């Protein structure tokens, strides 16, 4: 096991959705973007973004649920150096600090948001 994996410890929670996979560890969250939805939107709208993002929990300032009447909701993580919202829905939804979940039922996304906020506060984040 690598030194980074030992520091992170076991994963506390994971969520797979249309935007990829969101994994919560004791000290960070990882967003891994993959799948046909991400690839199609990436190719059609030229919103090339990071394939994988790691965000340290103690650097988080806020976790926002961005709602849209017609489009999918997503989580946006705010931390020093995070991309600022552009106002363009697709660019913001596919930014390095965002995670898309589902078109239908976002209750698991809300539960994951609560777990991330709790874990970040436990690490001393100023939320």
């Amino acid at each position: 096991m690598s030194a980074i994996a030992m520091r992170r410890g076991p994963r506390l929670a994971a969520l797979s959705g249309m935007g990829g996979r969101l994994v919560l560890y004791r000290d960070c969250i990882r967003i891994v973007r993959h799948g046909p939805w991400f690839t199609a939107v990436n190719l059609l709208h030229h919103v090339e973004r990071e394939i994988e993002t790691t965000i340290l929990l103690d650097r988080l300032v806020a976790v926002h649920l961005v709602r849209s009447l017609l489009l999918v909701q997503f989580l946006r993580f705010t931390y020093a150096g995070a991309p600022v919202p552009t106002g363009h829905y697709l660019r913001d939804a596919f930014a390095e600090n965002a995670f898309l979940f589902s078109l239908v039922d976002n209750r698991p996304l809300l539960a994951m948001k609560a777990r991330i906020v709790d874990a970040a506060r436990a690490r001393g984040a100023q939320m």
Side-chain angles (χ1 to χ4, degrees), residues 25-79:
Y25 293 97
R26 152 177 88 201
D27 69 334
C28 66
I29 53 175
R30 282 183 57 225
I31 305 170
V32 181
R33 294 165 191 83
H34 60 78
W37 170 255
F38 180 77
T39 303
V41 171
N42 207 5
L43 291 173
L44 293 173
H45 293 282
H46 307 291
V47 291
E48 298 92 8
R49 296 291 178 230
E50 301 292 326
I51 297 299
E52 184 175 324
T53 303
T54 300
I55 303 167
L56 297 174
L57 289 176
D58 57 1
R59 304 279 169 96
L60 273 179
V61 175
V63 181
H64 306 276
L65 178 65
V66 178
R67 298 175 187 252
S68 172
L69 186 59
L70 300 174
L71 299 172
V72 72
Q73 299 173 8
F74 63 92
L75 286 182
R76 181 176 59 233
F77 302 97
T78 304
Y79 52 91

Side-chain angles (χ1 to χ4, degrees), residues 69-116:
L69 186 59
L70 300 174
L71 299 172
V72 72
Q73 299 173 8
F74 63 92
L75 286 182
R76 181 176 59 233
F77 302 97
T78 304
Y79 52 91
V84 296
T86 65
H88 184 276
Y89 183 81
L90 285 176
R91 292 200 188 280
D92 290 345
F94 284 87
E96 72 180 50
N97 62 328
F99 177 75
L100 289 160
F101 180 63
S102 169
L103 290 170
V104 183
D105 182 13
N106 279 309
R107 286 177 291 181
L109 186 63
L110 290 172
M112 181 63 121
K113 176 187 174 201
R115 291 195 75 174
I116 291 169

